[in-house]
Amino acid sequence: MLNFQPVTLADKELINSYLTQLRPTIIEQSFNTLFPWQQPHAYHFAIFEDWLLLRTTYQGRTSFLPPVGPEQNYARAVDALAEYADELELVLCFSEVTRPYAELLNRTRPEFFQTFSDRNAANYIYNIEDLTNLSGKKYHAQKNLLNSFKRNYPGYQFRAVTPELLPLCREQLAFWCEQNNSTSFPTLLQERVAIEQMFSHWQELDLYGAAILLGERVEAFAIAEILNDDTVAILIEKANSDIKGLYSAINQMFLAEYWQDFQFVNRAEDLGLANLRRTKLGYLPCRLEMKYWLLPAGWAKVRRHND
């Protein structure tokens, strides 16, 4: 039987040795997501022959991420998971599946899976040049907000996040959570735990950050990672919403200062939240990196009938 273990910081090198083979396109294909989000998503991993296997349990549903490893003999990894799921009486379902892996899994087990798109989890991909220059009428609103911030707060400081700045970032995180009534929203509480993990292990994780200060106070910060050779991912972005244009400022300044050598920025998903979707679409993504659920054929229909 497969031996799944919780993802810990000590597993970083081993897990990354597999993930770096992927050329990741979504943030879930990164140790910098698997480790900080371990608590709400219960990420576990196992090594089976040449494959990294990942399991997650979120809101009571256990699923697997597609095995990471060679496509040759891929059926061996899928069969190992099928046997494991059968032994534990779990449904063999896959989550966080990109299109290439959906096609690979369906080739591996023809007619076994039914595939469902997960629009709420799709990652938004933008051209960095567009979000840096904000040129043309299509970015008129964002450019106005950026200029408004610069005009109204000429004494702002834009600084890299260093270990010395982390206490002020923590203060801003606490303020942001209070400002957004995070105690009433489980997903925001989970996000706060993940951000605190990033702060606590800043020097061990492969993270980059920037902050905007007014006086001695951090009013906005962003956290990023290099996802692949042409894409950076913005994992976290928080700002004082009482300060007009601050979100536009941290977004534009971070990309302009640090990420001009990259072509794309992945700004994660919208979780199906209407305001967040409106904002992300307003920045005009060049594409959505869609994700899918793969469930055994007929399972969803039977489940609805039984419910």
Side-chain angles (χ1 to χ4, degrees):
M1 189 172 182
L2 297 173
N3 181 27
F4 278 92
Q5 301 290 324
V7 172
T8 70
L9 193 59
D11 304 309
K12 175 188 171 184
E13 184 176 349
L14 174 60
I15 290 175
N16 275 342
S17 69
Y18 288 88
L19 294 179
T20 53
Q21 301 174 31
L22 277 178
R23 196 179 185 275
T25 58
I26 58 173
I27 60 174
E28 290 77 16
Q29 294 171 333
S30 166
F31 186 83
N32 293 322
T33 292
L34 297 175
F35 173 67
W37 288 90
Q38 164 67 1
Q39 181 174 319
H41 289 272
Y43 287 116
H44 284 59
F45 80 100
I47 304 299
F48 172 75
E49 296 182 1
D50 295 327
W51 292 274
L52 169 70
L53 309 179
L54 291 163
R55 189 192 79 197
T56 177
T57 300
Y58 184 66
Q59 296 182 339
R61 173 183 283 185
T62 296
S63 61
F64 302 94
L65 278 64
V68 178
E71 293 188 17
Q72 186 176 4
N73 298 321
Y74 198 73
R76 289 188 55 77
V78 177
D79 289 344
L81 286 176
E83 182 179 348
Y84 173 83
D86 186 60
E87 288 176 351
L88 295 183
E89 298 183 346
L90 298 171
V91 176
L92 181 63
C93 60
F94 289 92
S95 60
E96 309 293 353
V97 183
T98 58
R99 182 178 294 276
Y101 271 105
E103 294 172 351
L104 176 58
L105 285 164
N106 279 307
R107 288 199 306 272
T108 301
R109 281 204 161 196
E111 301 182 1
F112 180 84
F113 294 111
Q114 51 187 341
T115 303
F116 299 92
S117 62
D118 188 0
R119 172 63 180 83
N120 294 344
N123 283 191
Y124 286 74
I125 313 297
Y126 305 84
N127 282 304
I128 288 180
E129 183 178 1
D130 290 342
L131 298 195
T132 300
N133 297 333
L134 298 175
S135 301
K137 292 182 179 179
K138 60 185 179 179
Y139 288 110
H140 183 71
Q142 290 85 354
K143 190 68 170 286
N144 279 348
L145 285 169
L146 174 63
N147 289 337
S148 174
F149 171 78
K150 290 182 176 180
R151 183 172 58 251
N152 292 328
Y153 302 94
Y156 76 86
Q157 301 175 61
F158 177 81
R159 290 170 53 186
V161 171
T162 61
E164 293 73 26
L165 201 61
L166 290 177
L168 294 181
C169 292
R170 280 194 164 97
E171 290 180 7
Q172 170 56 26
L173 175 60
F175 173 80
W176 187 93
C177 289
E178 182 179 348
Q179 188 179 47
N180 290 273
N181 192 25
S182 65
T183 55
S184 300
F185 300 96
T187 54
L188 294 184
L189 289 176
Q190 293 166 5
E191 182 186 50
R192 182 173 185 176
V193 171
I195 297 171
E196 289 286 0
Q197 283 283 73
M198 294 178 190
F199 287 160
S200 296
H201 302 284
W202 189 259
Q203 293 179 292
E204 295 97 333
L205 296 173
D206 301 315
L207 298 172
Y208 304 83
I212 293 177
L213 290 80
L214 297 179
E216 298 300 316
R217 180 182 173 89
V218 167
E219 296 289 1
F221 65 84
I223 301 172
E225 69 166 335
I226 295 173
L227 198 56
N228 61 54
D229 57 0
D230 66 8
T231 304
V232 61
I234 305 297
L235 303 177
I236 300 294
E237 188 177 81
K238 300 299 178 192
N240 183 347
S241 58
D242 292 335
I243 299 176
K244 183 179 180 181
L246 186 55
Y247 269 109
S248 294
I250 190 65
N251 181 353
Q252 190 272 344
M253 292 178 189
F254 195 22
L255 295 176
E257 183 70 21
Y258 292 109
W259 305 113
Q260 290 301 292
D261 291 336
F262 291 78
Q263 185 175 0
F264 301 108
V265 56
N266 180 323
R267 293 185 56 83
E269 67 279 335
D270 62 34
L271 302 174
L273 301 175
N275 289 340
L276 189 56
R277 178 167 296 186
R278 191 179 306 114
T279 298
K280 287 182 182 287
L281 289 174
Y283 275 96
L284 305 177
C286 60
R287 73 177 190 275
L288 293 180
E289 192 69 34
M290 287 299 300
K291 290 189 284 188
Y292 302 86
W293 279 87
L294 268 66
L295 304 173
W299 182 81
K301 181 178 180 180
V302 170
R303 183 185 180 197
R304 287 196 297 269
H305 176 76
N306 290 341
D307 289 345

